[in-house]
Every structure is written in structure tokens, then in C-alpha cells.
């Protein structure tokens, strides 16, 4: 029986890959014992226990760039997190430790590496975060989501290009399943707009003009996921009370639990360029208009988007210049040029790695003591 620690925290971009890898490990090694290490206040504290995974926390947070009392508090927490991580390692005695990103990975991976327990980092982005960059010198394997990320880990012991883990349910639904779910006929041009679970204000603001422009049309469906914090604001700007009542052309929702159905239905996506969202677009072969989040660490979303643009899978609009007029023009251009849409979809498929989670899970089991 393998004993495996998985750690990743803070945002869904770190947590969902970890959960996906966990599920693949359990397929390959049903008797494996898995412990998830996260933080008390991160999104993982809610998501991971719901998956039935044993969960423990350590007190850690990111360092501030300026010297202040808060920095001293953070340093104190970091020192204590190393003590706690060592105790977790001693008590659980893992055969392998996997980190998918976030500050929480630092202490647990470092504690394992110093004890010569096999360790893996899974880096989702083209430009890695500072935690993974530092840890790459100590861990046994770095599994990268993009080939272009390899050059950022020059001092790593071993680098493997696996692609990014994608939830298996993303690949289950057919186009017909998705269309039936949203009650959209096959000839209606369907656009999925989403800025992440918290929403993207720039995209949502631009979409107000888009909804008004296409209002009443029967040849297009805009499935717009605003994020829960932005939903009421979008409805107010549109002068409606219910996001399902704007007209046949628009469906506006605060959140969608069954995103795989929306991906299955979509002809085109308007997205941020987080690594996992892009991985899901790629395995579904969905062309996209990408608006990278401009405040992401090291501007990594822009670098992620550039890969898709360079490969012909996406168009990119810079966040600070985005307008409703821009989106309307892009959407109409794709509606009128289905051949380009098909070409871009094929380019997206070329970037997809549907077996990434399986490959990472296999790698983890293979290097376990």
C-alpha cells in the first residue's frame, strides 16, 4: 500500500489539479492512503473534505514585498509551518509527496526532500511561481504543463512535460449532451464567457454591451458566467432582475456547477488564461478569445495566452483596452468565418493533454519508495 501526500492551496488553479491527480492515483492504486495538506483559510479547506480526502492544515502565507510587522508575523508562521510539516511527515510516513502550487507546498515538500522522500512538483503555468522555482532545486521531479516552462527550471534534477491535469468529466459529455442541457439547437452559434469563480470585472463590463447588441437574435447564444460577486452588478447594468430573462440570445448565471456541459456546448469561449481553464479548452478543441488577468503573479496569464495565440488556437485582447465593441467585432467575425473557427479548434486540440493526470499519477507511483 502506497502512502501519498498531496499539497496545493489558495486558488482553484492549484487545488483542482491536485484533486484530479488524487482520483487518478486511486484508479491506479485503489488501496493507496492519501493525505492532503492545505491551509485553514484557503479554498482547499472547503473543496478537499467534500471529495472524501483526509485533510490537515499548516499555518503558512506568502511573504509581503515590503518589510513590516506583517512580514515578521509571516516569517514566524513560516518557521512554525516547517515544524508542523516535519511532524506530518513523521506521523504519516509518506512514500511520495506531490505539490501542485501555492505557498502551502513549500514547507511540506521541503520537509520531505530533506528526508530524501521522493517529491514531485506539478507546475501549471509557462512562468512558474516563486515557491515552485525555489523548490525545483530540491525535489526529484518537476512535471510541467507547458514545454516552454522547462527553461525556467534549469537547476531541477528532472523535468517531465506532462501537460496539465484535466477533470475526466470534461471529456465525458458530447456536443449533443451540452446542447440539450442548455436547450440550444445545433445551428445556434454558442459562446461561453467565464472569468473564473470570482468573476472578471473587465470582461463582465464589456459583456453588458455584447448582450445588448445581440439581444433578440435567434442565431446566437451567450452563456455568461459572471462569478457570484459580479452577478447583481451585471443584471443592474442590463436593467433586468433575472439573468435568464434577457431574451433567447443570453443566459447569465452567477455560477455554473456543471461547467463540462457548457464546454461541450460551446463553439467559442471568452476566458481569462489560467492554466487549468486553458487545458480544458484545449482537450475540448474550443477556439477562444483570451483576456489575461493583468495582476497575476509574474504576469503568467499573458505568457499562457501567448502559447495559445502562437499555436493558432486563440485571439488575445489586453485587459486594459478591452471594450464591448472589441468583443462584438470578434464574435461576429467568428460567426461569419466557420472555417477559421474549425482551424483554431484543431489547433487547440493539438495543445491538449487529456492523459496528463494519469501520467502524473503513474510517475508518482513509480518513484514512491
Amino acid at each position: 500500500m502506497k502512502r501519498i501526500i498531496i499539497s496545493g492551496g489558495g486558488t482553484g488553479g492549484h487545488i483542482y489539479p491536485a484533486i484530479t491527480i488524487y482520483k487518478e492515483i486511486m484508479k491506479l492504486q485503489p488501496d493507496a492512503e492519501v493525505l492532503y495538506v492545505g491551509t485553514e483559510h484557503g479554498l482547499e479547506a472547503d473543496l478537499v473534505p467534500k471529495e472524501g480526502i483526509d485533510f490537515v492544515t499548516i499555518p503558512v502565507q506568502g511573504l509581503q514585498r515590503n518589510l513590516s510587522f506583517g512580514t515578521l508575523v509571516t516569517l514566524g508562521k513560516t518557521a512554525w509551518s516547517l515544524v508542523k510539516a516535519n511532524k506530518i511527515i513523521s506521523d504519516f510516513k509518506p512514500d511520495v509527496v506531490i505539490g501542485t502550487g501555492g505557498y502551502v507546498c513549500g514547507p511540506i515538500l521541503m520537509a520531505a526532500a530533506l528526508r530524501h522522500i521522493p517529491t514531485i512538483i506539478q507546475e501549471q503555468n509557462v512562468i512558474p511561481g516563486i515557491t515552485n522555482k525555489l523548490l525545483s532545486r530540491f525535489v526529484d521531479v518537476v512535471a510541467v504543463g507547458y514545454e516552454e516552462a522547462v527553461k525556467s527550471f534549469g537547476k531541477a534534477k528532472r523535468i517531465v512535460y506532462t501537460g496539465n491535469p484535466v477533470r475526466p468529466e470534461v471529456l465525458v459529455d458530447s456536443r449533443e449532451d451540452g446542447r440539450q442541457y442548455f436547450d440550444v439547437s445545433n445551428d445556434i452559434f454558442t459562446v461561453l464567457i467565464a472569468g473564473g469563480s470570482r468573476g472578471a470585472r473587465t470582461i463582465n463590463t464589456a459583456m453588458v454591451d455584447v448582450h445588448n447588441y445581440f439581444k433578440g437574435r435567434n442565431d446566437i447564444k451567450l452563456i455568461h458566467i459572471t462569478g457570484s460577486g459580479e452577478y447583481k452588478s451585471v443584471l443592474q447594468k442590463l436593467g433586468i432582475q433575472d439573468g435568464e430573462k434577457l431574451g433567447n440570445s443570453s443566459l447569465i448565471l452567477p455560477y455554473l456547477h456543471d461547467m463540462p456541459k457548457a464546454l461541450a456546448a460551446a463553439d467559442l469561449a471568452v476566458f481569462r488564461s489560467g492554466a487549468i481553464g486553458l487545458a480544458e479548452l484545449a482537450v475540448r478543441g474550443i477556439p477562444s478569445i483570451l483576456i489575461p488577468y493583468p495582476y497575476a503573479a509574474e504576469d503568467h496569464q499573458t505568457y499562457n495566452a501567448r502559447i495559445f495565440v502562437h499555436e493558432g488556437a486563440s485571439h488575445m485582447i489586453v485587459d486594459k483596452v478591452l471594450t464591448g465593441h472589441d468583443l462584438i467585432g470578434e464574435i461576429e467575425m467568428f460567426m461569419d468565418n466557420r472555417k477559421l473557427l474549425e482551424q483554431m479548434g484543431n489547433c487547440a486540440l493539438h495543445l491538449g493533454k487529456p492523459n496528463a493526470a494519469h501520467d502524473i499519477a503513474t510517475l508518482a507511483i513509480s518513484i514512491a519508495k
Side-chain angles (χ1 to χ4, degrees):
M1 182 176 70
K2 301 295 183 185
R3 299 171 68 83
I4 300 167
I5 286 179
I6 300 177
S7 182
T11 68
H14 298 314
I15 301 160
Y16 289 118
I19 292 173
T20 302
I21 293 167
Y22 158 78
K23 290 179 178 179
E24 286 299 318
I25 287 171
M26 298 311 294
K27 289 179 184 177
L28 294 169
Q29 193 97 35
D31 63 345
E33 189 172 345
V34 178
L35 179 67
Y36 196 110
V37 180
T39 62
E40 183 180 356
H41 302 293
L43 189 60
E44 65 272 21
D46 178 53
L47 294 176
V48 173
K50 288 180 179 178
E51 295 290 338
I53 310 171
D54 289 339
F55 180 71
V56 296
T57 65
I58 56 176
V60 65
Q61 63 189 60
L63 288 172
Q64 300 174 17
R65 294 183 181 274
N66 58 318
L67 184 61
S68 65
F69 177 73
T71 305
L72 297 176
V73 171
T74 299
L75 288 170
K77 285 187 176 180
T78 300
W80 174 239
S81 70
L82 287 168
V83 174
K84 184 77 180 289
N86 266 302
K87 187 175 188 312
I88 291 169
I89 294 290
S90 296
D91 292 345
F92 189 72
K93 298 179 177 59
D95 299 303
V96 64
V97 177
I98 306 165
T100 59
Y103 298 115
V104 68
C105 292
I108 200 74
L109 280 168
M110 183 60 74
L114 291 174
R115 294 184 181 211
H116 305 290
I117 295 168
T119 46
I120 298 174
I121 287 173
Q122 198 275 313
E123 172 55 58
Q124 296 99 31
N125 297 295
V126 176
I127 303 297
I130 187 169
T131 301
N132 280 358
K133 262 189 175 180
L134 292 172
L135 288 170
S136 67
R137 303 184 181 198
F138 302 94
V139 301
D140 294 287
V141 185
V142 179
V144 296
Y146 293 97
E147 283 185 288
E148 290 77 6
V150 171
K151 60 187 177 185
S152 296
F153 294 109
K155 296 187 178 180
K157 296 177 186 177
R158 180 184 174 195
I159 306 170
V160 179
Y161 169 47
T162 58
N164 282 317
V166 173
R167 298 171 290 167
E169 51 265 36
V170 168
L171 291 165
V172 170
D173 294 309
S174 67
R175 178 180 172 86
E176 289 69 28
D177 292 332
R179 294 281 168 146
Q180 185 175 6
Y181 183 86
F182 289 100
D183 193 23
V184 178
S185 63
N186 202 46
D187 60 334
I188 293 177
F189 189 76
T190 302
V191 186
L192 172 63
I193 307 99
S197 58
R198 295 180 181 177
R201 182 162 296 175
T202 309
I203 296 174
N204 287 334
T205 299
M207 281 301 301
V208 171
D209 289 336
V210 178
H211 286 298
N212 281 326
Y213 180 84
F214 287 108
K215 185 177 180 180
R217 293 265 294 263
N218 293 317
D219 58 345
I220 187 170
K221 186 74 167 187
L222 303 168
I223 302 172
H224 180 190
I225 317 301
T226 65
S228 55
E230 291 273 305
Y231 181 65
K232 289 183 179 178
S233 174
V234 171
L235 296 190
Q236 186 177 26
K237 289 173 182 175
L238 286 166
I240 57 176
Q241 300 294 320
D242 186 336
E244 299 185 33
K245 301 298 183 184
L246 188 63
N248 290 335
S249 60
S250 296
L251 173 62
I252 306 171
L253 301 168
Y255 187 78
L256 181 64
H257 291 284
D258 205 343
M259 185 62 86
K261 288 283 196 305
L263 290 166
D267 293 303
L268 175 70
V270 178
F271 268 38
R272 289 297 197 195
S273 45
I276 301 307
L278 290 180
E280 293 184 348
L281 292 179
V283 297
R284 292 290 327 193
I286 302 171
S288 55
I289 302 166
L290 302 177
I291 302 99
Y293 178 58
Y295 305 110
E298 310 296 332
D299 198 22
H300 68 257
Q301 286 208 7
T302 296
Y303 287 91
N304 292 348
R306 285 175 181 168
I307 299 299
F308 275 65
V309 172
H310 181 264
E311 294 297 323
S314 306
H315 288 181
M316 181 172 69
I317 303 174
V318 176
D319 183 272
K320 67 180 180 181
V321 301
L322 177 68
T323 66
H325 179 77
D326 294 327
L327 281 183
I328 291 165
E330 286 279 313
I331 291 169
E332 286 197 313
M333 183 274 295
F334 281 116
M335 290 180 74
D336 294 336
N337 196 338
R338 299 303 179 95
K339 185 175 181 180
L340 174 62
L341 200 72
E342 182 180 355
Q343 290 172 348
M344 290 177 66
N346 289 333
C347 291
L349 276 175
H350 179 71
L351 288 166
K353 289 283 185 177
N355 297 318
H358 174 84
D359 293 344
I360 296 165
T362 300
L363 176 63
I365 292 169
S366 72
I367 69 169
K369 281 188 174 180

